[in-house]
Amino acid sequence: MERKNRNSHSLRSMLLHALLLAMAYAPLHGYAQPAYRGTLHNIRQTGYHKIMITPDITAKSKADLSDLRILSEEGQQVPYMLKRSAPFYDGKEIRNYPVIGHTTNDSISELVLETPTAYSNPEEAHSLALVINNAAALRQGRISGSNDRSNWYAMIDNIILGNSTGGGEHTYLQLVTMPSNSYRYIRISVFNRGLPPLDITHAGMVQNRYIQGAYDVLPAPAIVQQDSADRKSYVTFSFGEPYPISKLKWELSGAALYKRKARMYDAEGRLLGETSLTPETDTLLLSGKKEKVLQLVIENNDDTPLNIRNATAWQLQQYLIADLAAGKRYFIETGNEKAAAPVYDLPFFSEKITLVEEVLTPDLLERLHIDGKQNAAEKMDKRWLWIFIIIALVLLLLLSNRLLQHIGKNNNDRS
Protein backbone atom coordinates (compact mmCIF):
# COMPACT_ATOMS: atom_id res chain seq x y z
CA MET A 1 0.00 0.00 0.00
CA GLU A 2 2.83 2.40 0.89
CA ARG A 3 4.48 1.73 -2.49
CA LYS A 4 1.23 2.52 -4.32
CA ASN A 5 0.88 5.75 -2.41
CA ARG A 6 4.45 6.71 -3.37
CA ASN A 7 3.68 5.98 -7.04
CA SER A 8 0.48 8.00 -6.91
CA HIS A 9 2.30 10.89 -5.22
CA SER A 10 5.07 10.73 -7.86
CA LEU A 11 2.53 10.89 -10.71
CA ARG A 12 0.77 13.83 -9.09
CA SER A 13 4.10 15.63 -8.70
CA MET A 14 5.02 15.02 -12.36
CA LEU A 15 1.60 16.27 -13.49
CA LEU A 16 1.88 19.39 -11.36
CA HIS A 17 5.35 20.22 -12.69
CA ALA A 18 4.24 19.74 -16.32
CA LEU A 19 1.24 22.02 -15.85
CA LEU A 20 3.35 24.69 -14.13
CA LEU A 21 5.89 24.59 -16.98
CA ALA A 22 3.12 24.93 -19.57
CA MET A 23 1.57 27.87 -17.72
CA ALA A 24 4.93 29.60 -17.33
CA TYR A 25 5.84 29.10 -20.98
CA ALA A 26 2.50 30.08 -22.50
CA PRO A 27 2.93 33.87 -22.08
CA LEU A 28 6.09 33.75 -24.20
CA HIS A 29 3.89 33.01 -27.19
CA GLY A 30 2.44 36.52 -26.93
CA TYR A 31 5.80 38.31 -27.06
CA ALA A 32 6.03 40.97 -29.75
CA GLN A 33 8.65 43.39 -31.02
CA PRO A 34 8.43 46.89 -32.51
CA ALA A 35 7.69 46.81 -36.22
CA TYR A 36 9.08 50.22 -37.26
CA ARG A 37 12.19 52.29 -36.69
CA GLY A 38 13.07 55.91 -37.54
CA THR A 39 16.42 57.66 -37.14
CA LEU A 40 17.33 60.88 -35.32
CA HIS A 41 20.66 62.22 -36.56
CA ASN A 42 22.54 65.46 -37.34
CA ILE A 43 22.13 66.51 -33.70
CA ARG A 44 24.14 69.70 -33.19
CA GLN A 45 23.29 70.59 -29.58
CA THR A 46 23.51 68.65 -26.34
CA GLY A 47 20.51 68.94 -24.05
CA TYR A 48 16.78 68.44 -23.92
CA HIS A 49 15.27 68.44 -27.41
CA LYS A 50 11.75 68.77 -28.74
CA ILE A 51 11.20 65.76 -31.04
CA MET A 52 8.19 66.09 -33.32
CA ILE A 53 5.76 63.19 -33.65
CA THR A 54 4.93 63.20 -37.34
CA PRO A 55 1.78 61.77 -38.97
CA ASP A 56 4.03 58.94 -40.20
CA ILE A 57 4.64 57.98 -36.55
CA THR A 58 1.06 58.36 -35.30
CA ALA A 59 -0.24 56.22 -38.16
CA LYS A 60 2.00 53.30 -37.20
CA SER A 61 1.76 53.61 -33.42
CA LYS A 62 -0.88 52.76 -30.86
CA ALA A 63 -3.53 55.43 -30.37
CA ASP A 64 -2.04 56.53 -27.02
CA LEU A 65 1.56 56.32 -28.34
CA SER A 66 2.48 54.03 -25.45
CA ASP A 67 4.64 51.86 -27.74
CA LEU A 68 7.07 54.68 -28.58
CA ARG A 69 10.68 54.16 -27.50
CA ILE A 70 13.86 56.20 -28.02
CA LEU A 71 17.03 54.12 -28.21
CA SER A 72 20.68 55.13 -28.26
CA GLU A 73 23.19 53.62 -30.69
CA GLU A 74 24.10 51.18 -27.90
CA GLY A 75 20.48 50.03 -27.68
CA GLN A 76 19.75 51.71 -24.33
CA GLN A 77 16.37 53.35 -23.72
CA VAL A 78 16.41 57.14 -23.49
CA PRO A 79 13.78 58.50 -21.07
CA TYR A 80 11.30 60.95 -22.56
CA MET A 81 8.21 63.00 -21.80
CA LEU A 82 5.20 62.98 -24.12
CA LYS A 83 3.52 66.34 -24.73
CA ARG A 84 0.22 66.88 -26.51
CA SER A 85 -1.11 70.19 -27.77
CA ALA A 86 -4.77 71.02 -27.34
CA PRO A 87 -7.10 73.58 -28.90
CA PHE A 88 -7.01 76.77 -26.90
CA TYR A 89 -8.48 80.22 -27.14
CA ASP A 90 -7.20 83.75 -26.71
CA GLY A 91 -8.31 84.71 -23.20
CA LYS A 92 -9.05 88.27 -24.34
CA GLU A 93 -11.66 86.92 -26.76
CA ILE A 94 -13.62 84.70 -24.35
CA ARG A 95 -16.48 86.15 -22.32
CA ASN A 96 -17.54 83.92 -19.48
CA TYR A 97 -21.28 83.69 -18.87
CA PRO A 98 -22.60 83.46 -15.30
CA VAL A 99 -24.12 80.06 -14.46
CA ILE A 100 -27.50 80.75 -12.84
CA GLY A 101 -28.89 77.22 -12.87
CA HIS A 102 -27.37 73.74 -12.75
CA THR A 103 -29.39 70.54 -12.23
CA THR A 104 -28.35 66.92 -12.70
CA ASN A 105 -30.08 63.56 -12.45
CA ASP A 106 -29.68 60.12 -14.02
CA SER A 107 -31.41 61.12 -17.24
CA ILE A 108 -30.38 64.72 -17.93
CA SER A 109 -28.04 67.53 -16.84
CA GLU A 110 -29.02 71.13 -17.51
CA LEU A 111 -26.81 74.21 -17.34
CA VAL A 112 -28.48 77.63 -17.61
CA LEU A 113 -26.29 80.59 -18.60
CA GLU A 114 -27.11 84.28 -18.46
CA THR A 115 -25.94 86.31 -21.48
CA PRO A 116 -25.69 89.97 -20.45
CA THR A 117 -27.24 92.34 -22.96
CA ALA A 118 -23.91 94.10 -23.46
CA TYR A 119 -22.46 90.82 -24.71
CA SER A 120 -25.22 90.04 -27.17
CA ASN A 121 -25.19 91.13 -30.77
CA PRO A 122 -27.83 89.45 -32.96
CA GLU A 123 -25.96 90.50 -36.10
CA GLU A 124 -22.77 88.63 -35.15
CA ALA A 125 -22.24 84.87 -35.14
CA HIS A 126 -20.51 83.44 -32.10
CA SER A 127 -18.97 80.20 -30.86
CA LEU A 128 -20.01 78.89 -27.47
CA ALA A 129 -16.99 77.58 -25.54
CA LEU A 130 -17.63 74.84 -22.98
CA VAL A 131 -14.73 73.85 -20.72
CA ILE A 132 -15.18 70.22 -19.69
CA ASN A 133 -13.08 68.14 -17.31
CA ASN A 134 -11.42 65.37 -19.30
CA ALA A 135 -13.44 62.20 -19.74
CA ALA A 136 -13.15 59.49 -22.38
CA ALA A 137 -16.88 59.77 -22.99
CA LEU A 138 -19.39 61.37 -25.33
CA ARG A 139 -22.91 62.60 -24.57
CA GLN A 140 -25.73 63.93 -26.74
CA GLY A 141 -27.26 67.27 -25.93
CA ARG A 142 -29.26 70.25 -27.18
CA ILE A 143 -29.21 74.03 -26.73
CA SER A 144 -32.22 76.28 -26.32
CA GLY A 145 -32.76 79.99 -25.63
CA SER A 146 -35.17 82.07 -23.59
CA ASN A 147 -35.83 85.63 -22.49
CA ASP A 148 -37.83 84.80 -19.37
CA ARG A 149 -36.55 81.30 -18.30
CA SER A 150 -40.11 80.01 -18.69
CA ASN A 151 -40.56 79.72 -22.44
CA TRP A 152 -37.64 77.97 -24.15
CA TYR A 153 -37.02 77.83 -27.88
CA ALA A 154 -34.84 75.44 -29.85
CA MET A 155 -31.48 76.72 -31.10
CA ILE A 156 -29.51 73.52 -31.75
CA ASP A 157 -31.42 70.24 -31.62
CA ASN A 158 -28.59 67.73 -31.39
CA ILE A 159 -24.92 68.14 -30.46
CA ILE A 160 -22.21 65.72 -29.31
CA LEU A 161 -20.33 66.84 -26.20
CA GLY A 162 -17.19 65.46 -24.63
CA ASN A 163 -13.64 64.39 -25.41
CA SER A 164 -13.60 60.77 -26.65
CA THR A 165 -9.86 60.37 -25.99
CA GLY A 166 -9.70 61.73 -22.46
CA GLY A 167 -6.08 62.69 -23.16
CA GLY A 168 -4.14 65.92 -23.22
CA GLU A 169 -4.60 68.56 -20.53
CA HIS A 170 -6.91 68.31 -17.51
CA THR A 171 -9.74 70.05 -19.35
CA TYR A 172 -11.14 69.89 -22.85
CA LEU A 173 -12.45 72.86 -24.83
CA GLN A 174 -15.69 72.11 -26.69
CA LEU A 175 -16.69 74.64 -29.32
CA VAL A 176 -20.28 74.92 -30.53
CA THR A 177 -21.14 77.22 -33.44
CA MET A 178 -24.18 79.24 -32.37
CA PRO A 179 -26.78 80.84 -34.64
CA SER A 180 -27.21 84.60 -34.38
CA ASN A 181 -29.63 85.34 -31.52
CA SER A 182 -30.55 87.84 -28.84
CA TYR A 183 -31.73 85.47 -26.09
CA ARG A 184 -31.05 86.55 -22.53
CA TYR A 185 -30.61 82.97 -21.32
CA ILE A 186 -29.08 79.86 -22.87
CA ARG A 187 -29.84 76.36 -21.61
CA ILE A 188 -27.50 73.44 -22.33
CA SER A 189 -29.21 70.06 -21.87
CA VAL A 190 -27.03 66.93 -21.78
CA PHE A 191 -28.67 63.49 -21.87
CA ASN A 192 -27.03 61.16 -19.33
CA ARG A 193 -29.30 58.11 -19.86
CA GLY A 194 -28.22 56.59 -16.57
CA LEU A 195 -24.51 57.29 -17.11
CA PRO A 196 -22.37 59.69 -15.03
CA PRO A 197 -22.72 63.30 -16.27
CA LEU A 198 -19.98 65.33 -17.93
CA ASP A 199 -18.35 67.91 -15.67
CA ILE A 200 -18.78 71.25 -17.47
CA THR A 201 -16.75 73.65 -15.34
CA HIS A 202 -17.62 76.92 -17.08
CA ALA A 203 -18.84 78.36 -20.35
CA GLY A 204 -18.58 81.53 -22.36
CA MET A 205 -18.84 83.07 -25.80
CA VAL A 206 -15.89 83.16 -28.15
CA GLN A 207 -16.22 86.13 -30.46
CA ASN A 208 -14.66 86.47 -33.90
CA ARG A 209 -13.60 82.80 -33.60
CA TYR A 210 -10.06 83.60 -32.47
CA ILE A 211 -9.35 79.94 -31.80
CA GLN A 212 -5.77 78.82 -31.93
CA GLY A 213 -4.04 75.49 -31.81
CA ALA A 214 -0.84 73.79 -32.93
CA TYR A 215 -1.64 71.33 -35.73
CA ASP A 216 0.30 69.19 -38.20
CA VAL A 217 -1.23 68.67 -41.63
CA LEU A 218 -2.05 65.07 -42.63
CA PRO A 219 -1.81 63.48 -46.08
CA ALA A 220 -4.82 64.46 -48.16
CA PRO A 221 -7.69 61.96 -48.24
CA ALA A 222 -9.36 60.50 -51.32
CA ILE A 223 -12.93 61.80 -51.66
CA VAL A 224 -15.94 59.90 -53.01
CA GLN A 225 -19.36 61.57 -53.04
CA GLN A 226 -22.68 59.84 -53.60
CA ASP A 227 -25.86 61.90 -53.95
CA SER A 228 -28.69 59.61 -52.91
CA ALA A 229 -32.39 59.53 -53.68
CA ASP A 230 -33.11 60.08 -49.98
CA ARG A 231 -32.13 63.75 -50.53
CA LYS A 232 -28.80 63.31 -48.78
CA SER A 233 -25.19 63.38 -49.95
CA TYR A 234 -22.76 60.80 -48.57
CA VAL A 235 -19.16 62.02 -48.78
CA THR A 236 -16.44 59.49 -47.87
CA PHE A 237 -12.93 60.66 -46.92
CA SER A 238 -10.44 57.78 -47.16
CA PHE A 239 -6.90 58.09 -45.80
CA GLY A 240 -3.99 55.82 -46.67
CA GLU A 241 -3.45 54.98 -42.98
CA PRO A 242 -5.37 55.59 -39.75
CA TYR A 243 -4.51 59.04 -38.35
CA PRO A 244 -5.62 60.90 -35.20
CA ILE A 245 -7.80 63.45 -37.00
CA SER A 246 -8.46 66.59 -34.98
CA LYS A 247 -9.65 68.97 -37.69
CA LEU A 248 -11.08 68.61 -41.20
CA LYS A 249 -11.58 71.42 -43.71
CA TRP A 250 -13.28 71.13 -47.10
CA GLU A 251 -13.98 73.15 -50.24
CA LEU A 252 -17.59 73.32 -51.41
CA SER A 253 -19.15 74.36 -54.70
CA GLY A 254 -22.61 74.23 -56.25
CA ALA A 255 -24.43 77.17 -54.67
CA ALA A 256 -23.62 80.73 -53.60
CA LEU A 257 -25.89 80.65 -50.54
CA TYR A 258 -26.61 77.52 -48.56
CA LYS A 259 -27.22 76.24 -45.07
CA ARG A 260 -27.26 72.45 -44.72
CA LYS A 261 -27.17 70.21 -41.69
CA ALA A 262 -24.28 67.73 -41.79
CA ARG A 263 -23.08 64.91 -39.55
CA MET A 264 -19.71 63.15 -39.49
CA TYR A 265 -19.48 59.38 -38.84
CA ASP A 266 -16.63 56.90 -38.52
CA ALA A 267 -16.30 53.69 -40.55
CA GLU A 268 -18.59 51.81 -38.11
CA GLY A 269 -21.33 54.45 -38.32
CA ARG A 270 -20.64 56.09 -34.95
CA LEU A 271 -21.43 59.79 -34.77
CA LEU A 272 -18.29 61.93 -34.35
CA GLY A 273 -19.67 65.44 -34.73
CA GLU A 274 -22.08 67.67 -36.58
CA THR A 275 -22.23 71.15 -38.07
CA SER A 276 -24.25 73.45 -40.30
CA LEU A 277 -22.65 73.93 -43.70
CA THR A 278 -22.64 77.59 -44.68
CA PRO A 279 -20.32 79.72 -46.85
CA GLU A 280 -18.64 80.82 -43.59
CA THR A 281 -18.37 77.33 -42.06
CA ASP A 282 -15.91 75.02 -43.75
CA THR A 283 -14.17 73.30 -40.82
CA LEU A 284 -15.16 70.62 -38.32
CA LEU A 285 -13.22 69.97 -35.11
CA LEU A 286 -12.98 66.30 -34.15
CA SER A 287 -11.84 64.46 -31.04
CA GLY A 288 -8.50 63.25 -32.42
CA LYS A 289 -9.42 59.58 -32.48
CA LYS A 290 -7.50 57.51 -35.04
CA GLU A 291 -9.57 57.05 -38.18
CA LYS A 292 -8.88 55.77 -41.67
CA VAL A 293 -12.33 56.45 -43.13
CA LEU A 294 -14.77 59.27 -42.37
CA GLN A 295 -18.21 59.84 -43.85
CA LEU A 296 -19.99 63.19 -43.97
CA VAL A 297 -23.77 63.00 -44.45
CA ILE A 298 -25.28 66.24 -45.78
CA GLU A 299 -29.04 66.84 -45.67
CA ASN A 300 -29.95 68.55 -48.95
CA ASN A 301 -33.74 68.56 -48.52
CA ASP A 302 -35.09 69.84 -51.85
CA ASP A 303 -31.96 71.76 -52.84
CA THR A 304 -29.41 70.69 -55.43
CA PRO A 305 -26.54 68.73 -53.81
CA LEU A 306 -23.34 70.57 -53.02
CA ASN A 307 -20.00 69.26 -54.26
CA ILE A 308 -16.99 68.71 -52.01
CA ARG A 309 -13.88 69.03 -54.17
CA ASN A 310 -10.92 69.03 -51.79
CA ALA A 311 -10.29 68.38 -48.11
CA THR A 312 -7.43 69.01 -45.70
CA ALA A 313 -7.03 67.22 -42.38
CA TRP A 314 -4.83 67.95 -39.38
CA GLN A 315 -3.70 66.21 -36.22
CA LEU A 316 -3.01 68.12 -33.01
CA GLN A 317 0.70 68.56 -32.57
CA GLN A 318 2.45 66.06 -30.32
CA TYR A 319 6.11 65.82 -29.41
CA LEU A 320 8.63 64.12 -27.15
CA ILE A 321 11.17 65.79 -24.85
CA ALA A 322 14.40 63.85 -24.34
CA ASP A 323 18.02 64.51 -23.37
CA LEU A 324 20.23 63.88 -26.41
CA ALA A 325 23.94 64.33 -27.05
CA ALA A 326 25.38 66.24 -30.00
CA GLY A 327 26.95 64.14 -32.75
CA LYS A 328 25.24 60.93 -31.68
CA ARG A 329 22.52 59.02 -33.48
CA TYR A 330 19.30 57.83 -31.90
CA PHE A 331 16.38 55.70 -33.02
CA ILE A 332 12.64 55.89 -32.49
CA GLU A 333 10.90 52.52 -32.47
CA THR A 334 7.16 51.87 -32.50
CA GLY A 335 4.50 49.53 -33.83
CA ASN A 336 4.19 47.10 -30.91
CA GLU A 337 0.52 46.57 -30.06
CA LYS A 338 1.42 44.64 -26.88
CA ALA A 339 3.74 47.28 -25.44
CA ALA A 340 2.83 49.09 -22.23
CA ALA A 341 3.64 52.75 -21.66
CA PRO A 342 7.15 53.23 -20.24
CA VAL A 343 7.56 54.67 -16.75
CA TYR A 344 10.37 57.20 -16.38
CA ASP A 345 11.40 59.66 -13.64
CA LEU A 346 11.72 62.51 -16.14
CA PRO A 347 8.07 63.77 -16.00
CA PHE A 348 8.51 64.60 -12.30
CA PHE A 349 11.10 67.24 -13.25
CA SER A 350 9.33 68.87 -16.18
CA GLU A 351 9.44 72.34 -14.59
CA LYS A 352 13.24 72.18 -14.30
CA ILE A 353 13.86 71.31 -17.94
CA THR A 354 15.07 73.92 -20.41
CA LEU A 355 14.85 73.04 -24.09
CA VAL A 356 17.61 73.73 -26.59
CA GLU A 357 16.68 75.73 -29.68
CA GLU A 358 17.11 72.73 -31.99
CA VAL A 359 13.87 70.92 -32.90
CA LEU A 360 14.22 67.41 -34.34
CA THR A 361 12.07 65.54 -36.84
CA PRO A 362 12.70 61.79 -37.25
CA ASP A 363 13.30 60.27 -40.65
CA LEU A 364 10.45 58.30 -42.19
CA LEU A 365 9.92 55.03 -40.38
CA GLU A 366 11.24 51.85 -41.93
CA ARG A 367 9.80 48.43 -41.30
CA LEU A 368 12.14 46.28 -39.23
CA HIS A 369 13.00 42.95 -40.88
CA ILE A 370 11.84 40.84 -37.99
CA ASP A 371 8.66 39.31 -39.37
CA GLY A 372 10.27 36.05 -40.51
CA LYS A 373 12.20 35.56 -37.27
CA GLN A 374 9.18 36.44 -35.20
CA ASN A 375 6.93 34.02 -37.10
CA ALA A 376 9.52 31.25 -36.69
CA ALA A 377 9.74 31.99 -32.96
CA GLU A 378 5.96 31.92 -32.65
CA LYS A 379 5.81 28.56 -34.44
CA MET A 380 8.45 27.18 -32.06
CA ASP A 381 6.46 28.56 -29.11
CA LYS A 382 3.37 26.73 -30.35
CA ARG A 383 5.25 23.44 -30.77
CA TRP A 384 6.63 23.51 -27.25
CA LEU A 385 3.30 24.57 -25.82
CA TRP A 386 1.55 21.62 -27.49
CA ILE A 387 4.29 19.27 -26.27
CA PHE A 388 3.72 20.39 -22.68
CA ILE A 389 -0.05 20.07 -23.07
CA ILE A 390 0.27 16.53 -24.50
CA ILE A 391 2.64 15.48 -21.69
CA ALA A 392 0.21 16.88 -19.11
CA LEU A 393 -2.72 15.00 -20.69
CA VAL A 394 -0.77 11.71 -20.83
CA LEU A 395 0.23 12.04 -17.18
CA LEU A 396 -3.36 12.88 -16.29
CA LEU A 397 -4.61 9.74 -18.07
CA LEU A 398 -1.98 7.58 -16.35
CA LEU A 399 -2.89 8.98 -12.97
CA SER A 400 -6.61 8.50 -13.63
CA ASN A 401 -6.03 4.90 -14.75
CA ARG A 402 -3.91 4.16 -11.67
CA LEU A 403 -6.55 5.64 -9.39
CA LEU A 404 -9.32 3.62 -11.05
CA GLN A 405 -7.28 0.43 -10.60
CA HIS A 406 -6.73 1.30 -6.96
CA ILE A 407 -10.45 1.95 -6.41
CA GLY A 408 -11.35 -1.33 -8.17
CA LYS A 409 -8.92 -3.33 -6.05
CA ASN A 410 -10.31 -1.79 -2.82
CA ASN A 411 -13.85 -2.72 -3.90
CA ASN A 412 -12.73 -6.32 -4.59
CA ASP A 413 -11.03 -6.52 -1.20
CA ARG A 414 -14.24 -5.40 0.51
CA SER A 415 -16.19 -8.03 -1.40
Side-chain angles (χ1 to χ4, degrees):
M1 177 65 69
E2 184 179 349
R3 183 177 178 183
K4 289 181 179 179
N5 288 337
R6 282 201 304 269
N7 290 340
S8 177
H9 177 75
S10 176
L11 282 171
R12 290 194 194 96
S13 179
M14 291 172 65
L15 176 61
L16 179 61
H17 279 84
L19 290 175
L20 288 174
L21 283 171
M23 291 172 63
Y25 197 78
L28 296 179
H29 170 64
Y31 177 74
Q33 301 180 52
Y36 298 94
R37 170 181 283 188
T39 305
L40 288 167
H41 52 77
N42 298 328
I43 301 173
R44 297 184 299 274
Q45 295 179 282
T46 295
Y48 287 97
H49 286 73
K50 185 177 182 179
I51 305 166
M52 304 310 299
I53 297 176
T54 62
D56 179 50
I57 293 175
T58 55
K60 296 175 175 63
S61 303
K62 294 172 64 176
D64 60 358
L65 302 177
S66 59
D67 52 340
L68 280 180
R69 299 292 185 273
I70 302 177
L71 300 178
S72 67
E73 290 179 309
E74 296 76 25
Q76 299 296 318
Q77 282 196 43
V78 178
Y80 68 80
M81 288 189 299
L82 174 61
K83 294 290 185 178
R84 293 182 169 93
S85 298
F88 62 94
Y89 54 85
D90 186 340
K92 292 178 293 185
E93 293 299 326
I94 189 82
R95 291 176 172 175
N96 287 329
Y97 285 168
V99 177
I100 59 173
H102 194 182
T103 59
T104 298
N105 56 48
D106 288 343
S107 60
I108 193 170
S109 296
E110 290 191 334
L111 192 70
V112 179
L113 310 173
E114 183 178 8
T115 60
T117 305
Y119 291 176
S120 299
N121 181 0
E123 302 300 326
E124 186 177 0
H126 301 287
S127 290
L128 180 66
L130 303 176
V131 180
I132 306 171
N133 273 329
N134 255 347
L138 296 174
R139 299 286 184 270
Q140 285 186 304
R142 66 169 176 248
I143 296 179
S144 51
S146 173
N147 287 317
D148 57 9
R149 297 183 62 187
S150 297
N151 300 301
W152 292 93
Y153 303 95
M155 296 176 67
I156 301 177
D157 289 332
N158 187 22
I159 57 173
I160 302 299
L161 298 175
N163 180 10
S164 66
T165 64
E169 303 297 329
H170 296 300
T171 57
Y172 172 73
L173 177 65
Q174 176 89 42
L175 299 177
V176 181
T177 301
M178 297 286 287
S180 298
N181 71 91
S182 58
Y183 288 121
R184 177 77 179 186
Y185 306 100
I186 294 176
R187 182 174 65 187
I188 304 164
S189 303
V190 184
F191 305 113
N192 299 321
R193 294 186 172 88
L195 299 172
L198 294 175
D199 185 11
I200 302 176
T201 61
H202 57 280
M205 193 63 74
V206 179
Q207 294 187 318
N208 302 322
R209 296 190 60 82
Y210 286 162
I211 306 301
Q212 305 176 41
Y215 292 90
D216 291 324
V217 67
L218 298 171
I223 303 174
V224 176
Q225 178 169 337
Q226 180 182 1
D227 301 320
S228 178
D230 61 1
R231 301 188 301 173
K232 295 180 181 179
S233 293
Y234 298 86
V235 185
T236 302
F237 305 92
S238 300
F239 297 83
E241 297 183 270
Y243 295 106
I245 304 170
S246 299
K247 184 167 65 170
L248 186 69
K249 182 178 180 179
W250 48 78
E251 293 182 17
L252 281 173
S253 64
L257 299 174
Y258 54 88
K259 185 175 182 179
R260 314 277 175 93
K261 192 171 186 178
R263 291 186 175 92
M264 186 72 75
Y265 298 89
D266 64 11
E268 285 72 40
R270 290 185 290 260
L271 183 63
L272 301 178
E274 60 184 327
T275 186
S276 291
L277 300 182
T278 68
E280 295 79 25
T281 306
D282 60 358
T283 302
L284 181 64
L285 296 180
L286 299 171
S287 66
K289 181 184 174 185
K290 288 186 72 170
E291 304 287 356
K292 189 173 181 179
V293 177
L294 297 173
Q295 186 176 69
L296 184 68
V297 180
I298 306 171
E299 296 184 6
N300 298 312
N301 296 316
D302 294 322
D303 287 302
T304 302
L306 302 169
N307 296 314
I308 292 187
R309 300 187 304 252
N310 299 301
T312 305
W314 292 266
Q315 68 176 26
L316 276 170
Q317 195 174 93
Q318 302 177 86
Y319 56 92
L320 307 177
I321 294 177
D323 189 12
L324 307 179
K328 286 196 172 184
R329 186 174 58 164
Y330 297 86
F331 303 98
I332 286 185
E333 292 188 348
T334 192
N336 182 354
E337 285 294 327
K338 297 183 180 179
V343 180
Y344 301 123
D345 294 335
L346 190 60
F348 294 103
F349 305 97
S350 59
E351 296 181 356
K352 299 182 178 180
I353 291 175
T354 300
L355 296 177
V356 299
E357 295 180 359
E358 187 177 35
V359 177
L360 301 176
T361 301
D363 290 344
L364 289 176
L365 299 180
E366 296 181 357
R367 179 175 285 276
L368 295 172
H369 299 291
I370 60 174
D371 291 347
K373 295 180 181 179
Q374 189 166 329
N375 289 338
E378 289 180 356
K379 289 179 181 178
M380 184 61 70
D381 288 343
K382 290 180 181 179
R383 290 196 194 100
W384 280 109
L385 185 59
W386 278 111
I387 289 173
F388 279 117
I389 291 174
I390 291 171
I391 291 173
L393 290 174
V394 170
L395 290 174
L396 181 61
L397 289 172
L398 289 173
L399 178 60
S400 300
N401 186 51
R402 188 67 64 88
L403 289 174
L404 288 173
Q405 290 178 358
H406 180 67
I407 293 171
K409 188 174 184 309
N410 286 340
N411 289 336
N412 292 334
D413 290 343
R414 290 193 188 96
S415 299

